[in-house]
Amino acid sequence: MLDRRKFIERVAMLGAAGLAPSVLKPAVLPSLPGLNKKNYPAVISTWSHGIPSNVAAMEVLLSGGNVVDAVEQGVRVPEGDPENHSVGLGGFPDRDGKVTLDASIMGPDGDAGGVCFLEDIVHPISVAKLVMQKTPHVLLAGSGALQFALENGFKKQNLLTPEVKKMWEKWLKNTQYKPEINWENHPETFHDTIGMIAIDKNGDMAGACTTSGLGYKMRGRVGDSPIIGAGMYVDNEVGGAAATGMGELVMKTLGSFLVVELMRHGKTPQQACEEAIARIVKKIPDSNKFQVGFIAMDKSGNTGAYSLQKGFNYAVYQHRKNKLIDSKSYYNS
Ligand code: ASP
C-alpha cells in the first residue's frame, strides 16, 4: 500500500521535475498579533458528553501528548459508551437496523482524515486518524473503510445493543417507512454528535467529530460529520469549529469552514458561530424545524457557541475548570 510518506516522497520527485503543485511548498505563516497564551491548553466539545471527553483530551495535553491524540482520545469516550445513543457503540441504527458511523479528524499541519458509512467498528475516529496518517486520501467510505480498518488491526463488533435494537423495533412498528428529513425531532432519535476542538500548550490546534448520525436515517445517508469543512474544520493559523445537529443544513452552508473563515476575518468565535447560524436561517427556508449547533475556538483559546434552537449545550475545559455551558440560540421558543 502507498503510505502517506511514500506518497509525499513520490510527489516530491515530481517537484524535482517541476511537476509538483505549489501547495506542497512549506507555507510561511504570518504570526498573529495579540495571541493570548494564558488560555492554553483548552478543549471545547459539544453536548454534556463533552465533559468526560474533555477530561480524556486534557489528560493527553497535560501529559505532553500531541493535540491530535488528545482530540482522538477525547471523542473515543462517547464512542465506546453503549449508553450513548448518538455516537459509536450503542448508536441509533438506520431504518434497516444497521449502525453506520461517520467521523473526521484534522491536525495543526492541515492534514485531515475521515470515514463515513462505516459499520461494525467501535472507534471510527481512530480509523479516521489512520486514514490521515497512512493513506494519501482524506475520506474512506463503507466497505472500503471497513476493509482498511480490519487491515489495520481493528476488530469487528456488532454496534446495535439489545436496548437500542428494541427501540428500533418499536419504531418500525409505529412509523411509516418513508424518508422524512425531520426525523431528528422524533423524541427517540437523539442527535448528539461529539465535535471537539483543542489547543495545546504551544498553541497548536486539532479537531475531531464522530457520530452515528441521524437516528433511523435512510440507508446510505452520510451527514456533515465526516466532511472536512462541514462537520469540523481546523486552520492552525486561525482556529477551529465543529457542528452538531441536522447535517444537511450544515453541509449546504459548509458550516465549520464558514465559522473558521469568519474568525479569519476578525470575528470572535461567538460572533462567527452566530453568523454561521444566521446564514443557515437565511439560506434554508424551513430552518426553524431543525436543530444545528456550532462550537468554535480561536488561536488564542477564546471559545464560543451558538445554535438554531434552544437546548444545545457544550463543554469547555480551560484554566483547570471543565464547565457545561448552555448555548444561546437563534430561535427562542
Ligand atoms: N450532525 C450529525 C448528522 O447529521 C448528527 C447530529 O449531530 O445529530 O449526521
Side-chain angles (χ1 to χ4, degrees):
M1 191 193 309
L2 189 61
D3 68 19
R4 182 162 290 245
R5 191 177 51 81
K6 289 198 190 116
F7 174 76
I8 289 167
E9 279 168 4
R10 199 167 288 184
V11 179
M13 282 164 60
L14 289 175
L19 298 171
S22 57
V23 289
L24 288 171
K25 289 183 191 143
V28 181
L29 303 180
S31 61
L32 291 177
L35 283 186
N36 189 355
K37 299 182 179 175
K38 293 199 303 281
N39 288 334
Y40 303 168
V43 185
I44 183 171
S45 58
T46 55
W47 304 106
S48 58
H49 52 204
I51 290 284
S53 307
N54 284 359
V55 170
M58 190 55 90
E59 267 170 21
V60 176
L61 294 179
L62 294 178
S63 62
N66 83 61
V67 69
V68 170
D69 293 340
V71 293
E72 178 199 12
Q73 291 306 318
V75 304
R76 278 174 66 102
V77 173
E79 280 186 342
D81 177 1
E83 304 297 318
N84 186 314
H85 298 319
S86 53
V87 184
L89 178 66
F92 275 111
D94 63 15
R95 293 188 298 170
D96 294 9
K98 303 274 200 315
V99 181
T100 71
L101 305 176
D102 297 339
S104 61
I105 195 161
M106 199 162 182
D109 53 2
D111 223 349
V115 288
C116 64
F117 198 48
L118 174 64
E119 293 179 54
D120 299 325
I121 298 290
V122 177
H123 291 298
I125 197 66
S126 298
V127 186
K129 189 174 102 170
L130 277 191
V131 171
M132 173 171 89
Q133 292 177 338
K134 287 189 76 168
T135 82
H137 307 301
V138 170
L139 186 58
L140 292 182
S143 57
L146 177 61
Q147 183 185 329
F148 173 74
L150 297 176
E151 281 168 7
N152 283 283
F154 289 81
K155 298 280 173 265
K156 262 180 137 177
Q157 183 174 336
N158 178 13
L159 305 178
L160 187 65
T161 59
E163 183 202 354
V164 174
K165 186 162 184 266
K166 273 195 205 127
M167 289 159 99
W168 167 67
E169 284 164 351
K170 187 172 142 221
W171 174 85
L172 269 186
K173 277 190 206 133
N174 301 332
T175 308
Q176 282 196 350
Y177 202 71
K178 62 174 187 186
E180 284 175 10
I181 202 152
N182 62 349
W183 280 349
E184 54 153 356
N185 293 328
H186 188 282
E188 285 184 354
T189 55
F190 315 109
H191 53 105
D192 294 358
T193 299
I194 183 148
M196 174 179 280
I197 305 294
I199 192 161
D200 69 13
K201 64 176 173 21
N202 304 314
D204 279 327
M205 303 189 73
C209 189
T210 175
T211 190
S212 50
L214 196 61
Y216 311 137
K217 59 197 173 189
M218 281 179 73
R219 181 125 183 96
R221 183 266 188 189
V222 167
D224 57 318
S225 307
I227 310 297
I228 299 298
M232 187 273 302
Y233 194 74
V234 173
D235 182 326
N236 202 41
E237 288 177 58
V238 176
T244 179
M246 194 68 192
E248 280 70 7
L249 278 63
V250 178
M251 286 192 273
K252 285 176 193 174
T253 54
L254 207 57
S256 294
F257 183 73
L258 175 61
V259 171
V260 172
E261 287 308 293
L262 289 165
M263 292 194 289
R264 187 192 306 279
H265 292 283
K267 302 280 182 197
T268 65
Q270 184 62 37
Q271 289 167 338
C273 291
E274 289 179 17
E275 194 162 328
I277 289 288
R279 183 77 59 91
I280 289 177
V281 172
K282 187 170 171 208
K283 296 280 173 193
I284 298 170
D286 55 353
S287 67
N288 60 333
K289 296 194 187 123
F290 303 104
Q291 174 64 302
V292 169
F294 288 112
I295 55 167
M297 185 191 289
D298 69 13
K299 188 71 177 165
S300 284
N302 299 308
T303 57
Y306 201 61
S307 58
L308 266 178
Q309 314 287 346
K310 275 171 120 172
F312 174 51
N313 54 21
Y314 62 102
V316 177
Y317 198 160
Q318 196 166 41
H319 305 307
R320 298 178 183 274
K321 289 197 190 93
N322 193 15
K323 288 189 210 155
L324 189 64
I325 302 168
D326 286 326
S327 169
K328 293 200 175 112
S329 61
Y330 186 90
Y331 296 111
N332 274 311
S333 50

